[in-house]
Amino acid sequence: MEYVIIIIAAVFVNNIVLAQFLGICPFLGVSTKVGTATGMSMAVLFVITLATIVTWLVQTLVLDPLGLGFLQTITFILIIAALVQMVEIILKKVSPSLYQALGIFLPLITTNCAVLGVAILVVQKDYNLLQGVVFAVANALGFGLALLIFSGIREHLELMDVPRRMRGVPIALLTAGILALAFMGFAGLV
């Protein structure tokens, strides 16, 4: 039951993008097409999960025993940067079209504060490795859910008669705010 609560809280109640406002850059930047949003969601799922496992191990086996907890942020950033480079190389070989579609946003996963935020939250919440992985996967799924819903709405808005001054970024920000309000409806769930 504990893991179900972690999943529901991370995906719906404390959504990493819509409630905690982490990962806004890729949320706004990659949300123009559902296909690109799906690829970004998969890449973020992989990176967040792998980064959480590696950072938890480094924190537990290296930083804490040596009393080097003050190096947590810089260490986590370096680990995440290395993992993103690995994902970029793999995507370039496995799916060149997805690699091209993601463009500049793939390297932006390195600076995606959602990835770093989840890794730090796992340590702060004192989760064990399994709880941390469940928390990371749930947050990545929450990120992906928000991104896919938002990209679907943005694709639909392209077909609508939006007032000229509201087209583009203004309507996207307004839509993101309304989507965040909709997710607030889950607040009393857990």
Side-chain angles (χ1 to χ4, degrees):
M1 189 65 174
E2 173 186 1
Y3 295 105
V4 172
I5 291 172
I6 290 173
I7 292 168
I8 291 172
V11 173
F12 298 109
V13 179
N14 296 319
N15 187 286
I16 198 81
V17 177
L18 300 173
Q20 298 182 37
F21 307 111
L22 297 173
I24 296 293
C25 181
F27 180 71
L28 292 173
V30 185
S31 60
T32 54
K33 293 187 169 117
V34 173
T36 309
T38 303
M40 178 59 100
S41 298
M42 293 300 152
V44 167
L45 173 66
F46 180 73
V47 170
I48 282 182
T49 305
L50 197 57
T52 299
I53 293 168
V54 173
T55 55
W56 186 90
L57 290 171
V58 168
Q59 181 76 34
T60 305
L61 301 176
V62 178
L63 298 178
D64 286 345
L66 296 176
L68 299 173
F70 61 93
L71 293 175
Q72 179 189 58
T73 303
I74 191 71
T75 304
F76 285 12
I77 288 170
L78 292 173
I79 290 169
I80 292 166
L83 290 173
V84 169
Q85 288 299 316
M86 184 179 74
V87 168
E88 192 171 0
I89 291 168
I90 291 170
L91 270 182
K92 195 173 188 177
K93 290 185 185 238
V94 173
S95 178
S97 60
L98 180 58
Y99 175 77
Q100 289 294 335
L102 290 174
I104 188 67
F105 296 105
L106 189 59
L108 284 178
I109 294 177
T110 304
T111 58
N112 184 348
C113 52
V115 179
L116 180 61
V118 169
I120 290 174
L121 284 171
V122 165
V123 173
Q124 285 178 348
K125 291 178 181 279
D126 201 27
Y127 283 151
N128 62 37
L129 184 58
L130 182 58
Q131 290 171 326
V133 169
V134 168
F135 181 75
V137 168
N139 271 290
L141 291 175
F143 177 86
L145 176 67
L147 187 61
L148 289 172
I149 291 171
F150 188 57
S151 64
I153 293 171
R154 286 188 74 181
E155 276 188 0
H156 187 70
L157 283 172
E158 291 296 318
L159 304 173
M160 304 299 291
D161 186 26
V162 178
R164 188 172 48 92
R165 296 200 185 261
M166 287 297 291
R167 290 184 189 143
V169 175
I171 194 70
L173 292 174
L174 185 63
T175 304
I178 293 170
L179 189 58
L181 286 172
F183 268 68
M184 282 180 64
F186 295 112
L189 200 57
V190 289

